[in-house]
Amino acid sequence: MELKFTDEQNMIRQMVRDFAENEIAPVAKDIDEKDEYPIEIVKKMGKLGLLGIPIPEEWGGVGADFVSYISTIEEISKASAAIGVSLAVHTSVGTLPILNFGTKEQKEKYIPRLASGEIIGAFALTEPSAGSDAASIKTTAIKQGDYYILNGTKVFITNAGIAEVYITFAVTDSSKGVKGISAFIVEKDTPGFSVGKKEKKMGLNGSNTAMLHFDQAKVPVENLLGAEGEGFKIAMSNLDGGRIGIGAQALGIAKAALEASIEYAKERVQFGKPIAKQQAIQFKLADMATKIRAAELLVYNAAMVRQNGGKTTKLASMAKKFASDTAMEVTTEAVQIFGGYGYTRDYPVERLFRDAKVTQIYEGTNQIQRIVIAKQLLNE
Ligand code: CAA
C-alpha cells in the first residue's frame, strides 16, 4: 500500500516539521533535563493552531483532517515526545470527547478555548486500583441538587496542573457496572478538586504527570458529558482515536532514533572505517527501517480509516501496539549502535530509549491492545 497524502496534508506536515526542528529540537534535551513543562513552546503551538488541528473551523480549530492531526503528533514527538504526549492527550481525549459528546452549550463554552490553546485539556480515567481494568474505577459522583459531588483519586494524569479542563470518569450508579460510569467536564477551580503529587518519571520529562484528588468536589449538573451511564463508551470510543495518536508518537520517537543512528554510523570510525560499512550495523539499520515502515503503514491506515468515518477499535490497537513495540526495539538498537556514548546523556538516543518505554504502557498496555484486537476478531 502506498501512503498517498493530499497537498494540504503535506503542507501541514511540513509546517509542523519546520516548527519542531526550529523551535523544539534545539531545546528537547533541556526540557528533559529540567523536567519543566515548556509552556512558552506550547503557547506558540497554540498560536500556530497546532492545539486544534482536527477541530472544525466553526469551533475555532484549524479544520484539518484526522490524518494531519496524526502527522502533527508524529512530527512534534520526533523532536520531543514529552510535548507530543501533551498535545495528543489535550486533543484526542481532552478536547474531542466534548466535540463528539458535548451539548451545544458545552462546545461553545470549552472548544474554542481548547482549540486555540488558551486552555489545555486532560483526561482523568486511571485510578490507583483501576489501570488496565478501567471499568473498576471507584471515584463516585452523587447527584445533589444542581451539582454532582465527586469523591476519589486519579493517578498518572497527563497535563495535570497545566490543564484547566479534565474529562473525568466517575461512578454514578454502582449497581449498573460499566453502564453506571459517567463522564464529567471538571474545571480546575472546582471546589474540592486539587492536583496532587507530580510523578518523577523514567522519561517524558517535561510533560506533567500527577494525581488528582476529588474531595466533595462540586461539579455543576450541566457539566455531565453525554448521558448518565455513557461514560465508559465515551472513554473507549475516544481511545479508539487516541491510540492512533500514541502510535504516531511512538513512530516519531523511532524515526528520530533511526536518523540519529544513520548519522552516527557514518561518522563513527572503528577498525579503520565508518561502522556503517560493517554488516552488523547495516543489518540493524535495515531491521529498524523495516519495522518503522510497517508501523507507519499501520498508523496511517488507521488514521485514514478513522478520517473516512470507519470503525478503528481494532486498527487503533494494532497501530498502537506495533508502533510502540517498534519504538522500544528501534531505540534499544540505536543505543547499541552508539555503544558507550549511547548510554550517556550527551547523545539523544538515551532520551529516546527512555521516552519509548511508556508508549507500550499508556492509553492501554500492549497486553490490553491484544485483548481488544482479539475481541474484535472474534466478534467479526
Ligand atoms: N467504543 C465504544 N464503546 C466501547 C468500546 C469502544 N471501543 N469498547 C467497549 N465499549 C463499551 C461497549 O459498549 C461495552 O458495552 P456492551 O457490553 O453494551 O457492548 C462496554 O463498553 C464494556 O466493554 P468491555 O466488556 O469490552 O469492557 P471491559 O471491562 O472488558 O474492558 C478494556 C475493556 C479494553 C480492557 C478496557 O478496560 C481498557 O481499554 N482498558 C485499558 C484502559 C486504558 O486504555 N487507559 C488509558 C488511560 S488514558 C491515558 O493513558 C492517557 C495518557 O496519559 C497518555
Side-chain angles (χ1 to χ4, degrees):
M1 182 187 107
E2 184 54 39
L3 282 178
K4 277 220 163 73
F5 295 105
T6 64
D7 288 348
E8 183 181 301
Q9 287 164 349
N10 285 328
M11 191 197 72
I12 291 177
R13 182 190 281 271
Q14 191 57 51
M15 184 267 287
V16 178
R17 182 176 294 170
D18 290 345
F19 177 81
E21 286 179 356
N22 295 328
E23 305 276 344
I24 301 180
V27 292
K29 182 172 187 274
D30 243 34
I31 294 172
D32 174 55
E33 298 210 326
K34 289 192 186 134
D35 191 13
E36 278 169 14
Y37 187 79
I39 187 75
E40 292 309 320
I41 291 179
V42 176
K43 279 201 176 124
K44 278 189 193 169
M45 286 167 61
K47 284 208 176 87
L48 270 180
L50 305 193
L51 299 180
I53 292 271
I55 309 301
E57 283 174 284
E58 60 170 311
W59 294 110
V62 167
D65 63 14
F66 193 77
V67 172
S68 287
Y69 165 56
I70 290 303
S71 74
T72 299
I73 298 176
E74 183 198 327
E75 294 295 335
I76 297 288
S77 301
K78 199 171 160 206
S80 163
I83 302 183
V85 74
S86 179
L87 162 74
V89 167
H90 162 80
T91 313
S92 293
V93 287
T95 306
L96 288 174
I98 304 179
L99 188 71
N100 294 335
F101 294 95
T103 61
K104 189 166 170 284
E105 290 72 25
Q106 288 171 339
K107 289 183 201 175
E108 277 168 359
K109 185 166 180 197
Y110 298 107
I111 300 281
R113 288 189 294 147
L114 285 162
S116 67
E118 184 191 329
I119 60 172
I120 297 293
F123 182 80
L125 175 67
T126 304
E127 298 185 359
S129 61
S132 290
D133 186 6
S136 71
I137 57 168
K138 302 270 184 301
T139 296
T140 53
I142 309 293
K143 197 171 177 185
Q144 279 180 14
D146 292 340
Y147 294 90
Y148 283 92
I149 308 299
L150 271 63
N151 280 291
T153 301
K154 299 285 177 181
V155 287
F156 306 138
I157 305 306
T158 302
N159 291 340
I162 303 295
E164 276 84 353
V165 166
Y166 298 79
I167 308 297
T168 302
F169 299 87
V171 177
T172 40
D173 186 344
S174 59
S175 70
K176 292 189 179 157
V178 90
K179 301 257 180 336
I181 295 174
S182 302
F184 298 89
I185 305 169
V186 177
E187 294 188 16
K188 80 163 196 276
D189 295 329
T190 302
F193 168 80
S194 60
V195 177
K197 179 174 85 77
K198 183 182 164 189
E199 303 296 343
K200 283 186 157 220
K201 308 190 295 290
M202 171 190 286
L204 291 192
N205 297 318
S207 77
N208 266 45
T209 311
M211 285 179 129
L212 303 178
H213 300 293
F214 298 84
D215 182 9
Q216 298 287 101
K218 279 179 81 176
V219 178
V221 286
E222 61 267 23
N223 281 25
L224 174 71
L225 182 61
E228 263 196 27
E230 263 193 342
F232 201 72
K233 188 182 86 183
I234 293 174
M236 291 300 131
S237 59
N238 279 284
L239 285 170
D240 285 352
R243 287 168 180 164
I244 305 172
I246 299 306
Q249 184 203 23
L251 184 61
I253 297 171
K255 282 191 182 176
L258 177 63
E259 281 179 19
S261 300
I262 291 172
E263 201 181 311
Y264 183 79
K266 285 180 176 171
E267 282 169 8
R268 172 73 171 164
V269 174
Q270 288 291 277
F271 303 106
K273 57 184 177 187
I275 61 170
K277 299 258 188 230
Q278 306 286 1
Q279 207 177 49
I281 301 299
Q282 291 175 356
F283 280 14
K284 283 191 191 301
L285 295 174
D287 285 347
M288 290 155 79
T290 305
K291 283 175 190 159
I292 287 173
R293 182 63 176 153
E296 191 167 41
L297 293 173
L298 277 173
V299 167
Y300 284 97
N301 174 245
M304 286 172 186
V305 171
R306 193 161 183 88
Q307 175 58 39
N308 294 328
K311 189 167 190 274
T312 55
T313 307
K314 184 179 73 181
L315 293 176
S317 287
M318 287 177 165
K320 190 271 186 191
K321 171 183 110 56
F322 191 85
S324 58
D325 284 347
T326 295
M328 201 62 243
E329 288 163 19
V330 166
T331 55
T332 302
E333 288 295 57
V335 172
Q336 194 68 20
I337 290 170
F338 275 73
Y341 293 109
Y343 200 62
T344 71
R345 297 212 169 174
D346 293 338
Y347 289 88
V349 291
E350 180 268 348
R351 168 172 54 86
L352 296 168
F353 174 89
R354 286 184 286 109
D355 287 351
K357 183 60 206 169
V358 77
T359 64
Q360 295 179 306
I361 297 171
Y362 60 23
E363 294 220 9
T365 64
N366 284 1
Q367 289 64 41
I368 289 298
Q369 306 308 329
R370 287 176 173 86
I371 290 174
V372 174
I373 295 164
K375 208 175 220 176
Q376 295 294 316
L377 281 177
L378 297 171
N379 286 340
E380 272 168 12

